[in-house]
Amino acid sequence: MTTKTELSPTARESKNAQDMQVDEVLIPRKVPSLFSARYGIALVLHLCNFTTIAQNVIMNITMVAMVNSTSPQSQFNGSSEGLPVDSFGDLSKAPKSLSAKCSVIGGQFAIWEKWGPPHERSRLCSIALSGMLLGCFSAILIGGFISETLGWPFVFYIFGGVGCVCCLLWFIVIYDDPISYPWISTSEKEYIISSLKQQVRSSQQPLPIKAVLRSLPIWSICLGCFSHQWLVSTMIVYIPTYISSVYHVNIRDNGLLSALPFIVAWVIGIVGGYLADFLLTKNFRLITVRKIATILGNLPASALIVSLPYLSSSYITATALLTLSCALSTLCQSGIYINVLDIAPRHSSFLMGASRGFSSMAPVIVPTVSGFLLSQDPEFGWRNVFFLLFAINLSGLIFYLIFGEADVQDWAKERKLTRL
């Protein structure tokens, strides 16, 4: 005969308290996002990306003005007035200079490794990375105006001053983790730590190089980023040139028209991050969300560019397609570009820098290959350039859809060392 033991009221209350503590660990309590520490850090990173890319763009915008003003016939503070039509923003050099700055992005992922709850990483990363688009928009829109009215040195004074402010904010606001952050609420600190409990450990372990090189998910990210950067580089370098040569309208003469794709892309990029996190709350698998965002950021954008030669109605239509293509391409911020945080959070900083470095080969190769195709076949050269873009973009996308994953890889998990 079995007897059922009854718990005393004190023991029952103690057990209930323990169960509540376990539930709080397994299901992190939601804390307000507005004016929170983690979103404040995202805004600081947004400003840092803004000034980093803006300084790259203004370097290309003011290059001719600097050369002319340093000639013996020019005065020190010469403006850019009287430059040739295509001198402003010769963006064929922009991707090479931008790719040199892409290495700074990898360091940001070390922050989200310990600051970004998994179900908020899409929006946090998209807020931070969208600063690059706002930097392009601002530099293109007002960089030439400042250079013509005040002189090219003031472009560097103004954007350099913004960079100093961002640097100061970085030193004050950015901390390694929520534990050491002095201005974070207790509820938010517990929320972030409990959300990352299964991913982040305090122990530091070396990167398993051989396992990384054999990892198909890592290679899918690298090749996917490469194919997407081929798309972005072609949009930046050759689409304005295509519109100028086919429709005899130089959109670079109009600062607002040139900057329009970037401000629309800035909005879509941030919205895409919130949409990705919204899908996670609807029980979508993480890898499904990442692949959906990557598909929407690659396939429609490249298809719109391929359709350009078949739309000969007006340059307004072509410019609208360019704007839409540029906007949709930013959805990859919530897809392939933050996938390393999912599969290897403890090594995300290095792997993000490595994937960006691999993809930065695309901006170097695009001008050479596209220029060769245009010189060989003047009649169908543009179609060949756009079809090559579509083929490369589709190949990288298919490889990522087949081999991309979102689970933490075995080589990225904590390994317990035993001593004999």
Side-chain angles (χ1 to χ4, degrees), residues 204-217:
Q204 296 293 330
Q205 295 181 351
L207 177 69
I209 300 296
K210 293 182 179 180
V212 171
L213 294 177
R214 292 194 298 262
S215 175
L216 286 176

Side-chain angles (χ1 to χ4, degrees), residues 45-67:
L45 294 177
H46 182 92
L47 292 175
C48 291
N49 287 324
F50 166 87
T51 186
T52 299
I53 300 303
Q55 290 173 3
N56 277 272
V57 175
I58 63 173
M59 180 66 72
N60 291 276
I61 291 177
T62 59
M63 184 66 70
V64 177
M66 287 189 291
V67 173

Side-chain angles (χ1 to χ4, degrees), residues 98-116:
L98 289 175
S99 62
K101 291 293 184 178
C102 284
S103 59
V104 304
I105 299 175
Q108 299 179 16
F109 280 73
I111 296 176
W112 298 128
E113 175 188 338
K114 297 181 179 180
W115 274 97

Side-chain angles (χ1 to χ4, degrees), residues 4 43 52 54 56 76 97 99-100 113 115 155 205 228 231 244 265 285 299 332 335 347 354 361 367 385 390 408 415:
K4 185 177 180 180
L43 290 177
T52 299
N56 277 272
F76 169 76
S97 60
S99 62
E113 175 188 338
W115 274 97
V155 183
Q205 295 181 351
H228 185 258
L231 167 67
S244 176
R285 295 178 59 208
L299 197 56
C332 283
H347 305 299
M361 292 188 297
V385 169
F390 185 81
V408 178
R415 299 187 301 275

